[in-house]
């Protein structure tokens, strides 16, 4: 039985933003969201894409397969960023998976519709590893709407900064920290000249 307890903060409140990119407006309708889920079905597959596809199709009505955009690995744990479309709505998600012998096992998963009014979205997902250590982890991820964004900078409360370079056709980003980093102090998007386009 999978016991999933997660906190998924939708941190897209745009208070305190510096400058919005062209054609984007601050949207104060989004508030922090906490989601707690449990799932008695165990998902295991030899292929990672098949694993996520089966879970998403059990919960959503989609025609095409899930698209995995990024995967971060740490020992037996992996953290996945993916997107899919339900009807005409683009949805982004993250998953925590582990490897057991020749199979991938889904541990945790959360999805939310993409906010197309923001230059980039910002979601935080915090929980604990299912590896016997009970170490905490935090996934920070999002979807990029503004093509001028070439870099995402995440500054954690412990003052550690992560820099994620955005490729030409890249539409998502993901960072994962295992251990206690505290909350995020700031997350910002920069263009190719180093100018801040938007920040939370």
């Amino acid at each position: 039985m999978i016991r999933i307890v997660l906190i998924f903060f939708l941190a897209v409140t745009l208070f305190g933003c510096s400058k919005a990119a062209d054609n984007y407006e601050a949207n104060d309708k989004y508030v922090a969201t906490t989601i707690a889920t449990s799932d008695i079905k165990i998902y295991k597959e030899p292929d990672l894409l098949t694993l996520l596809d089966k879970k998403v199709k059990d919960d959503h009505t989609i025609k095409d397969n899930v698209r995995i955009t990024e995967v971060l690995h740490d020992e037996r744990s992996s953290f996945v960023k993916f997107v899919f479309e339900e009807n005409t709505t683009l949805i982004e998600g993250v998953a925590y998976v582990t490897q057991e012998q020749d199979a991938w096992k889904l541990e945790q998963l959360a999805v939310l519709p993409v906010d197309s009014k923001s230059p980039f979205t910002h979601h935080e997902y915090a929980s604990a590893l299912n590896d016997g250590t009970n170490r905490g982890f935090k996934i920070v991820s999002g979807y990029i709407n503004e093509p001028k964004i070439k870099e995402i900078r995440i500054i954690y409360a412990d003052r550690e900064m992560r820099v994620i370079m955005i490729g030409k056709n890249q539409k998502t980003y993901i960072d994962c920290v295992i251990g206690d980093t505290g909350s995020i102090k700031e997350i910002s998007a920069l263009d190719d000249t180093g100018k801040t386009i938007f920040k939370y």
Side-chain angles (χ1 to χ4, degrees), residues 112-161:
L112 284 171
V114 170
D115 172 20
S116 61
K117 295 180 180 179
S118 175
F120 71 104
T121 64
H122 162 212
H123 308 302
E124 297 177 39
Y125 175 111
S127 190
L129 296 177
N130 186 23
D131 64 353
T133 66
N134 204 36
R135 293 177 297 166
F137 70 84
K138 177 177 288 186
I139 299 173
V140 180
S141 73
Y143 191 87
I144 299 167
N145 293 305
E146 173 53 64
K148 293 179 183 177
I149 294 174
K150 301 302 177 187
E151 183 179 327
I152 299 288
R153 291 185 183 179
I154 305 167
I155 302 175
Y156 292 94
D158 67 355
R159 301 190 182 191
E160 179 180 357
M161 182 172 76

Side-chain angles (χ1 to χ4, degrees), residues 97-126:
V97 299
T98 55
Q99 277 189 293
E100 295 184 352
Q101 297 174 348
D102 295 329
W104 292 94
K105 180 183 177 185
L106 178 63
E107 301 288 351
Q108 300 179 19
L109 178 144
V111 299
L112 284 171
V114 170
D115 172 20
S116 61
K117 295 180 180 179
S118 175
F120 71 104
T121 64
H122 162 212
H123 308 302
E124 297 177 39
Y125 175 111

Side-chain angles (χ1 to χ4, degrees), residues 55-73:
K55 169 60 178 169
V56 168
K57 286 180 177 176
D58 278 353
D59 298 340
H60 300 270
T61 304
I62 65 172
K63 292 181 180 179
D64 298 322
N65 292 335
V66 168
R67 297 189 309 272
I68 293 176
T69 58
E70 294 171 82
V71 182
L72 301 177
H73 298 287

